Amino acid sequence: NAGVTQTPKFQVLKTGQSMTLQCAQDMNHEYMSWYRQDPGMGLRLIHYSVGAGITDQGEVPNGYNVSRSTTEDFPLRLLSAAPSQTSVYFCASSCSLGGQRDEQFFGPGTRLTVL
Amino acid sequence: AQKITQTQPGMFVQEKEAVTLDCTYDTSDPSYGLFWYKQPSSGEMIFLIYQGSYDQQNATEGRYSLNFQKARKSANLVISASQLGDSAMYFCAMRVPDDCGSRLTFGEGTQLTVNP
């Protein structure tokens, strides 16, 4: 299993540009989420999904959109990038039927810089 | 609202000694789960240990143990016999209720440095 994969690993954007951060998992997890990590602030939840077709807002959703058309994929869209969105973004997943451990598994992160 | 507090921005320990990283939480829900994650300088998030609010015994995973004091709402991580590779940022997190579909709330982290 590849676990949780994220692409790209690094990205530089100009203010106003849009882009999509990709996230995929191959563990048949129902729950997926996106976090951002800023220095000294821990991880903050952006959006999450409890299953295909179901998404909801987290703590800091403004400026981001998500969709969940399949169990495996959970892309995060930046609509119009702003310097305040410079951060490290983590995707995570958890919950599979019959699973013995249900901690959240994290992807390797995407480091985004908005100029 | 749920809240996780880690009051130690940085901690230092000598190699082979034990260290305790503090975590306090706030929730009025009787069902919650507590987690510790390690984030080395390479950036990945590594799950260390989990404690459910209804668990009678403190969780242990190898050199990691969770000192769960429910009345004080604390869930401190104890690392025994520290190793140089334990130098990392450590995050305490909570989900309420304790269901794998619940959102995780993270503390701000503690940077641990293990000295040779």
Side-chain angles (χ1 to χ4, degrees), chain B residues 50-115:
Chain B
Y50 157 80
Q51 178 87 42
S53 59
Y54 296 120
D55 292 344
Q56 296 295 317
Q57 294 189 322
N58 287 346
T60 61
E61 291 278 356
R63 292 186 300 112
Y64 305 106
S65 60
L66 201 152
N67 184 2
F68 182 44
Q69 299 189 39
K70 205 168 183 176
R72 300 177 65 178
K73 293 191 174 180
S74 72
N76 298 339
L77 177 71
V78 180
I79 305 175
S80 63
S82 297
Q83 302 172 355
L84 295 178
D86 293 334
S87 292
M89 181 72 85
Y90 289 81
F91 291 99
C92 181
M94 176 173 66
R95 67 183 181 197
V96 182
D98 192 13
D99 179 277
C100 71
S102 297
R103 301 156 51 158
L104 268 184
T105 300
F106 284 83
E108 294 185 355
T110 296
Q111 180 69 48
L112 176 66
T113 302
V114 181
N115 294 316

Side-chain angles (χ1 to χ4, degrees), chain B residues 23-45:
Chain B
C23 173
T24 58
Y25 58 91
D26 187 22
T27 180
S28 57
D29 198 305
S31 170
Y32 51 90
L34 297 157
F35 298 80
W36 278 92
Y37 282 85
K38 172 184 178 181
Q39 186 178 43
S41 57
S42 51
E44 72 268 33
M45 295 289 288

Side-chain angles (χ1 to χ4, degrees), chain A residues 74-96:
Chain A
F74 190 45
L76 177 72
R77 298 182 187 83
L78 279 70
L79 308 173
S80 177
S84 60
Q85 293 179 305
T86 293
S87 190
V88 179
Y89 291 84
F90 287 97
C91 179
S93 74
S94 64
C95 303
S96 58

